[in-house]
Amino acid sequence: RELIHFDEIDSTNNHAKKIANDGCPHGTVVVAERQTLGRGRVGRLWQSDNNQGLWFSIVLRPDLEPEQVQIITLAASVAVVEGIFRDLGINCGIKWPNDIILGNSKLCGILTELSAEPGHVNYVVVGIGINVNQSFSEFDADIQDKATSLQIHAGKKISRVKLLAGILTCFEEMYNKVLEKNTKDIIDRWNKYSVTLDREVKIVSRDMEYIATAQSVAPDGKLVVKCKDGTVREISAGEVQVR
Ligand code: BTN
């Protein structure tokens, strides 16, 4: 497997997309000690200007329809949870759509980016950011009440190299399930780690807002919710706020 390491870069996802456009092989991993422009979901910034986390991106070239790619993010969430458990014996949870949480705080975020044409995926970049050795005071003020790190939880420094190797091994196992179309196993594991299920979520769509109960995640990655009137709906990521 090809692994490209940087001391500093704008964003490992940006670099991964660049080399993917230039034809780098499937499975290439880009990892950086720190990012100057780490990106989060929905245009947010991801604080990663320090050497204390694990900031990496994986380039994939799956033979899937663009609509099937969502399962890869679910597979990555499961791989992070299982990789952390195998290496450190720490139990994390998944908060829909793809936050990894420890206690009630965010430990890891995943940003999947896709280059596709109708019916064909050029490449997928799965970007994973895990807070590993930060202390509370190293988090920016605006995330201090929301973020945590493995070191804060474990009370000791954690080896980032060993953790990365373990998570990549788990990801490979989960990715093979994606290719084998063993979606059920991925979804079952995801649901097992989910902390969102049975909780109330707020759905905000274009013309209305309502409260529903999260029930499960569907094979296409949508959240299945039960509304107060008993109807069951599938909701896509942009529309759900987990309370
Ligand atoms: C989120 O908003 O929860 C997703 C955060 C994803 C951060 C990771 S760090 C490695 C990769 N490079 C980026 O710029 N973002 C992702």
Side-chain angles (χ1 to χ4, degrees):
R1 175 171 15 191
E2 204 167 325
L3 196 142
I4 305 171
H5 173 270
F6 291 92
D7 281 331
E8 184 177 289
I9 196 164
D10 57 346
S11 150
T12 56
N13 266 35
N14 291 356
H15 189 76
K17 289 199 284 185
K18 218 175 292 163
I19 61 176
N21 278 321
D22 294 344
C24 78
H26 167 85
T28 302
V29 176
V30 180
V31 52
E33 299 293 325
R34 48 183 187 279
Q35 303 182 114
T36 53
L37 253 180
R39 292 188 291 111
R41 288 179 46 246
V42 290
R44 285 187 291 241
L45 277 175
W46 178 259
Q47 194 202 341
S48 44
D49 54 346
N50 55 62
N51 300 24
Q52 308 295 345
L54 211 42
W55 323 124
F56 65 103
S57 304
I58 310 169
V59 178
L60 304 166
R61 299 188 182 280
D63 186 12
L64 296 176
E65 303 281 321
E67 297 72 35
Q68 299 172 307
V69 164
Q70 174 75 37
I71 191 78
I72 296 177
T73 305
L74 303 184
S77 312
V78 169
V80 170
V81 170
E82 296 192 350
I84 289 173
F85 182 75
R86 279 192 218 170
D87 187 31
L88 303 164
I90 294 174
N91 282 304
C92 300
I94 303 175
K95 185 166 158 185
W96 195 81
N98 49 23
D99 290 352
I100 310 300
I101 61 156
L102 183 52
N104 276 322
S105 308
K106 182 154 166 174
L107 181 75
C108 161
I110 300 177
L111 177 66
T112 301
E113 296 184 273
L114 169 70
S115 162
E117 295 147 31
H120 173 75
V121 172
N122 299 318
Y123 61 80
V124 177
V125 168
V126 179
I128 302 181
I130 308 175
N131 298 323
V132 182
N133 284 322
Q134 292 100 324
S135 58
F136 266 122
S137 58
E138 280 169 297
F139 288 121
D140 286 344
D142 59 322
I143 58 168
Q144 274 186 11
D145 59 338
K146 305 196 264 270
T148 192
S149 74
L150 288 168
Q151 169 172 257
I152 291 168
H153 181 87
K156 58 167 198 230
K157 282 253 178 240
I158 306 292
S159 162
R160 289 179 301 150
V161 175
K162 196 157 144 277
L163 183 62
L164 175 60
I167 289 171
L168 290 177
T169 302
C170 286
F171 182 70
E172 212 164 318
E173 290 172 22
M174 296 306 298
Y175 187 73
N176 284 333
K177 294 182 199 287
V178 173
L179 296 185
E180 292 158 10
K181 303 273 185 326
N182 189 353
T183 309
K184 182 172 185 312
D185 191 16
I186 300 168
I187 300 284
D188 284 351
R189 289 178 198 229
W190 193 97
N191 281 320
K192 182 171 114 193
Y193 303 130
S194 170
V195 298
T196 307
L197 305 185
D198 296 329
R199 293 235 307 237
E200 285 200 332
V201 294
K202 186 161 145 194
I203 317 292
V204 184
S205 66
R206 238 167 286 130
D207 41 8
M208 52 178 173
E209 253 187 53
Y210 56 94
I211 306 293
T213 309
Q215 298 220 298
S216 62
V217 69
D220 58 1
K222 289 196 174 139
L223 190 69
V224 182
V225 301
K226 191 167 187 179
C227 305
K228 292 235 158 91
D229 65 4
T231 54
V232 174
R233 294 190 195 179
E234 286 195 10
I235 312 289
S236 59
E239 297 172 302
V240 178
Q241 293 172 9
V242 179
R243 309 207 295 163

